[in-house]
Amino acid sequence: MTLQFSLISTAPETVDTACVVVGLYEGGVFTSAAARVDGAAGGAIKRQVESGDITGKSGACTVLFAPAGVAAQRVLVVGLGAQKSFDAARFQKVSLEAIRALGRLPVDRAVSYLTEVEVPGRDAAWRARTAVLAADHASYRYTATFKPRDKSAQPELSSLGFADGGNAQSGLQQAVAIAEGVRFARELANLPPNICTPAYIAAQAQAFAEAYDGVTCRVLDDVEMEQLGFGSLLAVGRGSANRPKLVALEYRGGKEGEKPYALVGKGVTFDTGGISLKPGPGMEEMKFDMGGAAGVLGAFIATVKMALPLNLVCVVPAVENMPDGNSYRPGDVLTSLSGLTIEVLNTDAEGRLILCDALTWTLQNYQPQATVDAATLTGACVIALGKHASGLMSRHDDLAAELLAAGEHSLDRAWRLPLWDDYQVQLESGFADVANIGGKNAGAITAGCFLARFTEGQRWAHLDVAGTAWDEGRKGLATGRPVPLLAQWLIDRTEKA
Ligand code: BES
Ligand code: MN
Ligand code: ZN
């Protein structure tokens, strides 16, 4: 069940709900909502501050049950940390902690006044959006293939109101749309690779297109791609019984004839490495190797739900990389759709081999105003940037700046790496136009440089989301990144002067 969100303009001491949420800074500094509730409750919060029970430490949560004078059944006091250093990231963190605390209580509805708390440089719409996205994120449960054990039969949070701290309405509408995109991306990426196959991704895209006006879907199968010359993409899929698909969703929200924006996402539904087989431990995480595809599909869904006035195409090359008697091998020379030949030196560098053909096809078919690809492309990017930032590569400073700004604004950050020609020598081959790996140095960049050869002269940027698309570990889930970044980038495109 998904959470329902609304905006509330009732005072915090009189709002009729199972739990009212207010913030308190470190050192016992009250927000205005906390002060009003405290006043109505005859100093109930103040006494707990004085006793040291409530410290205001960032993310710390305290519940007051049925304080006299307050209409709500409970008051949840959330620590905001020091007021002078309160910022956007802290706002997101305390919003998440508040939802986690609500999840531990037997409440089905709550109203939060955290959206009234001032955040330097951000407006009320941003606060509403960030609070809604944090709430939706924290309340997501993966249930597609098992039922998590229910510790108790207590009611679950199903409706959440936020104080309208200004003109929050547009923030709420955007947030609900983006949250749907994030949820879609997480759910698709979390599915096991025996369910989430290339055909499954294609079916999901087709189902979405059928349900929405202005959205159409094209799916190319392996036979059609063979005829068109997708020699690189098809080589990667050759070892798998789950045949490759190329999925293209088109949304027309902009003017007739206006060039679209294009999103392209790596959709490797499982990456064994192929003949260059990966080691066994942790290989199951390679079901997330379609995280880029899930991300661009999620951003597409968010765009449609926001009804943004622009044209958008979303292209997903979906394949499975398996070892088999029919697999492609190290040493093979492939002819890509662009005509460039590629020497395969490692079958585990497959992402760039499917993306190069998908990018060529996208550029030829749609002549986009700008193209952004998202891919769980390299372990090297995780080494370089860890799990906090996606790697951004582009030869276009203006496009890179747009994407970096969208990442900052949505707290789904990226960090730029260079695509200088100096690195291109690492991809030289004696047997083809280009090799598919560039040696041990700068692995994220040489992967980007490989793609750059197929996007010459185009406004294109590459996001390596290998570190950001999922949380590692036995119970790690897909994060839905980079949906917030991409959705913000597209919102910004509609607001440009
Ligand atoms: N899907 C992987 C990249 C990856 C690895 C993402 C670990 C997240 C975590 C990609 O297809 C791959 O295998 N890349 C190789 C490239 C190498 C052979 C040049 C890598 O990063 O090791
Ligand atoms: Mn690989
Ligand atoms: Zn891969």
Side-chain angles (χ1 to χ4, degrees):
M1 185 174 53
T2 59
L3 258 174
Q4 297 295 310
F5 300 102
S6 57
L7 289 176
I8 305 279
S9 36
T10 320
E13 67 277 20
T14 58
V15 68
D16 174 20
T17 183
C19 189
V20 60
V21 182
V22 299
L24 187 105
Y25 297 105
E26 222 163 74
V29 181
F30 281 68
T31 57
S32 72
R36 290 185 71 139
V37 169
D38 188 58
I45 299 178
K46 201 165 187 187
R47 283 195 294 280
Q48 295 221 32
V49 171
E50 282 162 2
S51 70
D53 288 44
I54 297 179
T55 60
K57 193 171 148 284
S58 171
C61 293
T62 312
V63 185
L64 280 66
F65 185 74
V70 178
Q73 271 178 323
R74 297 170 192 75
V75 177
L76 176 67
V77 182
V78 182
L80 304 179
Q83 184 168 17
K84 64 173 186 331
S85 57
F86 192 78
D87 62 3
R90 184 100 58 79
F91 180 86
Q92 185 185 47
K93 180 192 162 181
V94 301
S95 300
L96 280 165
E97 291 304 331
I99 301 305
R100 295 200 178 110
L102 286 173
R104 292 188 288 267
L105 292 170
V107 301
D108 62 347
R109 63 209 171 99
V111 177
S112 169
Y113 289 78
L114 295 179
T115 41
E116 287 180 352
V117 177
E118 287 294 328
V119 183
R122 312 285 163 125
D123 61 8
W126 182 89
R127 299 194 303 260
R129 203 176 66 197
T130 305
V132 166
L133 282 170
D136 203 67
H137 208 276
S139 62
Y140 170 78
R141 297 282 174 278
Y142 173 79
T143 57
T145 47
F146 83 129
K147 201 154 170 38
R149 265 178 300 142
D150 237 338
K151 277 145 222 121
S152 65
Q154 72 178 28
E156 257 182 63
L157 192 63
S158 62
S159 95
L160 185 57
F162 287 104
D164 189 347
N167 91 57
Q169 193 60 42
S170 70
L172 180 79
Q173 281 160 356
Q174 284 180 350
V176 169
I178 298 169
E180 266 201 69
V182 169
R183 239 171 215 275
F184 175 90
R186 297 183 81 186
E187 192 72 2
L188 190 69
N190 284 332
L191 287 173
N194 58 326
I195 294 178
C196 183
T197 59
Y200 183 89
I201 293 178
Q204 291 285 301
Q206 268 163 334
F208 182 79
E210 265 153 44
Y212 288 87
D213 289 340
V215 179
T216 51
C217 183
R218 291 165 71 183
V219 176
L220 302 188
D221 64 19
D222 50 349
V223 179
E224 291 163 291
M225 283 192 275
E226 187 80 57
Q227 287 161 356
L228 292 169
F230 284 67
S232 185
L233 185 158
L234 288 172
V236 175
R238 232 167 51 208
S240 175
N242 294 309
R243 305 307 303 142
K245 305 279 180 204
L246 187 81
V247 183
L249 279 166
E250 302 170 10
Y251 162 69
R252 267 167 294 270
K255 293 189 197 78
E256 184 78 39
E258 197 170 75
K259 287 190 172 151
Y261 291 92
L263 301 176
V264 179
K266 172 179 173 183
V268 174
T269 61
F270 195 70
D271 181 14
T272 64
I275 296 301
S276 312
L277 192 64
K278 285 183 182 293
M283 201 201 278
E284 70 286 349
E285 289 195 23
M286 284 298 117
K287 73 171 186 178
F288 293 118
D289 210 19
M290 35 59 72
V296 297
L297 289 167
F300 183 89
I301 289 172
T303 301
V304 174
K305 300 251 166 185
M306 287 186 282
L308 290 183
L310 49 75
N311 296 329
L312 180 67
V313 299
C314 177
V315 177
V316 168
V319 310
E320 185 175 42
N321 188 20
M322 293 291 256
D324 179 78
N326 217 8
S327 290
Y328 78 132
R329 6 167 152 55
D332 281 1
V333 173
L334 317 174
T335 302
S336 67
L337 182 61
S338 73
L340 287 177
T341 58
I342 303 164
E343 185 187 14
V344 178
L345 294 177
N346 189 321
T347 63
D348 197 12
E350 84 298 341
R352 61 199 77 181
L353 296 176
I354 66 169
L355 285 169
C356 67
D357 278 356
L359 284 164
T360 300
W361 186 80
T362 303
L363 301 174
Q364 286 176 355
N365 264 274
Y366 298 106
Q367 296 88 42
Q369 338 192 2
T371 303
V372 180
D373 79 73
T376 51
L377 207 59
T378 65
C381 191
V382 195
I383 304 291
L385 297 173
K387 313 269 317 163
H388 302 290
S390 303
L392 169 67
M393 283 149 263
S394 181
R395 291 204 170 127
H396 297 262
D397 292 346
D398 56 342
L399 179 57
E402 289 171 10
L403 291 160
L404 290 172
E408 282 296 333
H409 193 73
S410 60
L411 301 176
D412 177 7
R413 295 197 287 182
W415 194 258
R416 193 174 178 190
L417 301 171
L419 274 190
W420 300 320
D421 281 335
D422 308 58
Y423 295 97
Q424 287 288 356
V425 290
Q426 289 179 242
L427 293 171
E428 282 173 8
S429 161
F431 300 91
D433 295 316
V434 62
N436 84 325
I437 59 170
K440 71 172 168 40
N441 291 344
I445 294 171
T446 52
C449 285
F450 179 93
L451 298 177
R453 293 190 180 215
F454 296 84
T455 55
E456 281 294 337
Q458 304 290 328
R459 268 189 99 232
W460 159 80
H462 161 58
L463 280 170
D464 193 330
V465 296
T468 52
W470 75 91
D471 290 323
E472 64 198 339
R474 281 291 281 261
K475 294 189 172 179
L477 291 173
T479 59
R481 293 177 71 179
V483 174
L485 183 160
L486 292 172
Q488 184 61 44
W489 177 63
L490 291 166
I491 291 169
D492 293 343
R493 305 284 65 71
T494 67
E495 287 168 358
K496 67 183 176 199

